[in-house]
Amino acid sequence: AQSVTQPDARVTVSEGASLQLRCKYSYSGTPYLFWYVQYPRQGLQLLLKYYSGDPVVQGVNGFEAEFSKSNSSFHLRKASVHWSDSAVYFCVLSAPLTGNTGKLIFGLGTTLQVQP
Amino acid sequence: GGIITQTPKFLIGQEGQKLTLKCQQNFNHDTMYWYRQDSGKGLRLIYYSITENDLQKGDLSEGYDASREKKSSFSLTVTSAQKNEMAVFLCASSINTGQLYFGEGSKLTVL
């Protein structure tokens, strides 16, 4: 069965600290993987995506993620967080169906709180 | 760039009422989606549409209807609002697999 697990519902870090948000997936084929961020009272925005190739992908605002097929993981990292990074982060897997339409499988999200 | 516009941002209805949410996109994307977001449950797909006049049921389609009369618009109807319908509904569009562009959401409250 296809699934995405974000084991941490809430993460709290201090401003300037490093960050890792964990994501594990279950999928038999080659996954497309994404991280989306949702700021308060807004829709979701794409942070970064992985289709193939270099397992470390760079995103916006200094975020990066590393794909690991052996660990079935796609963890999100940032070297130094800012208070404005406080948001909900979703790890997402794309499972292609027919044509170009892929059904997305969302994790439950991790709420990041950055303390001053 | 483009934008996804959802109307209304806030919708208050009575239990049993038929309620409609609208979504417009100017990306010229083929595929549009409606998701429901409940606290602690992530996003669940209600309906999606891969082209004008096409409708595909998602995991949560029961109790909802959808309509895609134009490529740029996708509407969602709650056929009979229930108190447990209180949630945020997110519209999105995409041109290829996975990269979605989301609207800001419509919050439904049922009295």
Side-chain angles (χ1 to χ4, degrees):
Chain A
Q2 301 151 0
S3 65
V4 173
T5 301
Q6 294 180 246
D8 305 308
R10 179 176 288 271
V11 170
T12 300
V13 297
S14 298
E15 194 166 22
S18 63
L19 170 71
Q20 177 172 278
L21 301 182
R22 296 183 292 163
C23 173
K24 300 275 284 184
Y25 69 87
S26 174
Y27 185 67
S28 58
T30 301
Y32 294 166
L33 292 161
F34 308 82
W35 277 97
Y36 283 83
V37 60
Q38 185 177 32
Y39 298 105
R41 294 173 296 282
Q42 294 187 27
L44 279 70
Q45 303 169 34
L46 181 70
L47 265 183
L48 46 79
K49 59 190 176 188
Y50 173 80
Y51 289 150
S52 65
D54 190 337
V56 179
V57 291
Q58 305 295 322
V60 298
N61 297 335
F63 284 94
E64 68 175 27
E66 183 166 5
F67 169 70
S68 171
K69 191 171 177 68
S70 60
N71 293 326
S72 298
S73 67
F74 190 56
H75 301 328
L76 181 71
R77 303 189 295 240
K78 187 170 183 178
S80 176
V81 296
H82 187 263
W83 65 267
S84 60
D85 293 324
S86 297
V88 182
Y89 292 79
F90 292 94
C91 182
V92 182
L93 181 148
S94 174
L97 289 174
T98 57
N100 288 325
T101 301
K103 182 177 177 180
L104 299 190
I105 298 167
F106 284 78
L108 295 183
T110 297
T111 299
L112 173 65
Q113 184 174 1
V114 180
Q115 293 182 329
Chain B
I3 191 169
I4 305 267
T5 303
Q6 291 186 233
T7 55
K9 285 190 189 303
F10 300 94
L11 181 58
I12 300 174
Q14 301 289 332
E15 193 168 14
Q17 194 176 358
K18 186 174 176 180
L19 301 167
T20 298
L21 304 171
K22 295 186 185 296
C23 177
Q24 294 271 345
Q25 55 102 355
N26 62 1
F27 289 101
N28 200 33
H29 287 166
D30 290 320
T31 307
M32 295 186 73
Y33 308 78
W34 275 107
Y35 285 91
R36 173 175 160 156
Q37 184 175 24
D38 295 271
S39 178
K41 292 186 179 177
L43 273 69
R44 293 181 286 176
L45 181 64
I46 306 172
Y47 268 97
Y48 67 100
S49 165
I50 62 175
T51 189
E52 186 177 324
N53 293 319
D54 174 75
L55 292 174
Q56 307 283 341
K57 291 184 178 182
D59 299 320
L60 203 66
S61 60
E62 189 170 337
Y64 301 92
D65 287 329
S67 173
R68 182 97 183 269
E69 293 177 0
K70 293 190 299 183
K71 185 176 183 178
S72 61
S73 67
F74 192 31
S75 62
L76 180 74
T77 297
V78 180
T79 55
S80 178
Q82 304 297 315
K83 281 198 183 290
N84 63 5
E85 292 284 3
M86 295 169 66
V88 175
F89 293 84
L90 292 170
C91 176
S93 71
S94 73
I95 195 167
N96 55 22
T97 301
Q99 185 167 348
L100 265 58
Y101 296 82
F102 284 86
E104 294 189 346
S106 296
K107 186 172 182 179
L108 174 65
T109 301
V110 181
L111 301 176

